[in-house]
Amino acid sequence: MFPILYCIIDGLGTFADGIYLDELKLISQDAALLAYEFTFFFCAVLAYTYLKFVKKQSFNLFKERVKGYAAVCETIGQFFYVFAMSSNAIIAAPMIASYSIFSVILSRIFLKEKLGRMQYAVIMLVIIGIALLGLADEL
């Protein structure tokens, strides 16, 4: 249930981003990036407050290198996401959303996950759909 809810909420957010950034140009790229970063900062403050005062766990920022690298990568990803969505949301959104398909492909390659015929069929349909969107944009 959680993956389905995540996909629905993420899809609605991507749709709203496309409207705000590309279609109506209601918000600039800079304002969108600041909004994302302030949101992440607010969540970090809440998480730190919960860990420190509710759970009474110690937290040392310098011992959390892997999480720091993940945060830097997320910030870089948000920069490219905002740039892509403000440039051409109709093409960018399906390509960005295809991360789940590539996660399945990579899990098959590296984790040796077993996939059924229907899963391979859905993977092929998504790849064909992305290719058709790319071709349609060129025409």
Side-chain angles (χ1 to χ4, degrees):
M1 188 66 174
F2 285 119
I4 292 170
L5 284 174
Y6 174 80
C7 287
I8 290 170
I9 294 168
D10 187 49
L12 291 172
T14 302
F15 176 74
D17 288 340
I19 297 292
Y20 276 83
L21 288 168
D22 186 29
E23 206 58 39
L24 300 177
K25 304 272 188 211
L26 294 175
I27 188 170
S28 70
Q29 290 181 14
D30 295 336
L33 286 169
L34 284 173
Y36 280 122
E37 296 311 317
F38 281 131
T39 302
F40 290 136
F41 178 73
F42 179 71
C43 290
V45 169
L46 284 178
Y48 178 79
T49 303
Y50 178 75
L51 283 175
K52 193 73 172 173
F53 300 110
V54 175
K55 288 292 219 174
K56 307 276 192 235
Q57 292 181 358
S58 63
F59 180 83
N60 186 347
L61 185 64
F62 299 107
K63 290 183 180 177
E64 303 292 337
R65 279 209 161 117
V66 173
K67 293 175 183 134
Y69 293 143
V72 169
C73 289
E74 174 66 27
T75 301
I76 293 168
Q78 285 298 328
F79 173 79
F80 287 108
Y81 170 82
V82 168
F83 177 76
M85 290 300 287
S86 64
S87 298
N88 193 350
I90 293 173
I91 299 300
M95 292 180 74
I96 292 168
S98 67
Y99 75 88
S100 58
I101 293 299
F102 288 105
S103 294
V104 170
I105 293 170
L106 293 174
S107 71
R108 172 66 182 111
I109 293 169
F110 294 110
L111 300 176
K112 307 295 187 223
E113 294 281 333
K114 302 294 182 203
L115 301 176
R117 288 181 186 234
M118 282 300 276
Q119 290 166 316
Y120 282 116
V122 169
I123 290 170
M124 288 308 299
L125 282 173
V126 169
I127 291 172
I128 290 168
I130 292 170
L132 289 174
L133 281 171
L135 287 173
D137 188 48
E138 292 296 319
L139 299 175

